[in-house]
Amino acid sequence: MADRPRHPHKEIEAVVADAERKGWRWRKMGHWGRLFCPHAGRDGCQIGVNGTPKNPEDHARQVMRAIARCPHGMEDGS
């Protein structure tokens, strides 16, 4: 998306871009940002995305797993 900076690690950038396509929103928080699930309520899922992880590949997998575990999914009714 144009309103957020690209992540410096390509693996994490790919995961964040995929999450945005699935309806997740990014906000600048912490060291780089935070992803919020499509469920906009108070009980929606949040995932912190580190800007400088020790192992970018592992961090990308952690974010991907957290997105997959979100119980809210796409709540568009289809």
Side-chain angles (χ1 to χ4, degrees):
M1 291 198 109
D3 60 338
R4 74 166 172 81
R6 289 182 55 81
H7 196 280
H9 297 286
K10 65 181 179 194
E11 300 89 356
I12 299 171
E13 174 62 30
V15 171
V16 171
D18 185 51
E20 288 178 326
R21 283 190 293 278
K22 292 178 180 176
W24 289 67
R25 294 175 326 280
W26 177 86
R27 282 183 54 194
K28 170 69 179 139
M29 298 175 99
H31 283 262
W32 187 75
R34 200 159 194 77
L35 288 169
F36 294 87
C37 84
H39 181 74
R42 174 174 262 192
D43 58 340
C45 301
Q46 303 178 26
I47 304 166
V49 182
N50 194 335
T52 55
K54 280 189 176 182
N55 188 327
E57 294 84 11
D58 283 347
H59 189 56
R61 279 192 291 273
Q62 290 170 352
V63 172
M64 204 174 355
R65 274 195 310 268
I67 291 168
R69 281 193 308 257
C70 175
H72 305 107
M74 294 295 287
E75 295 187 345
D76 59 357
S78 55

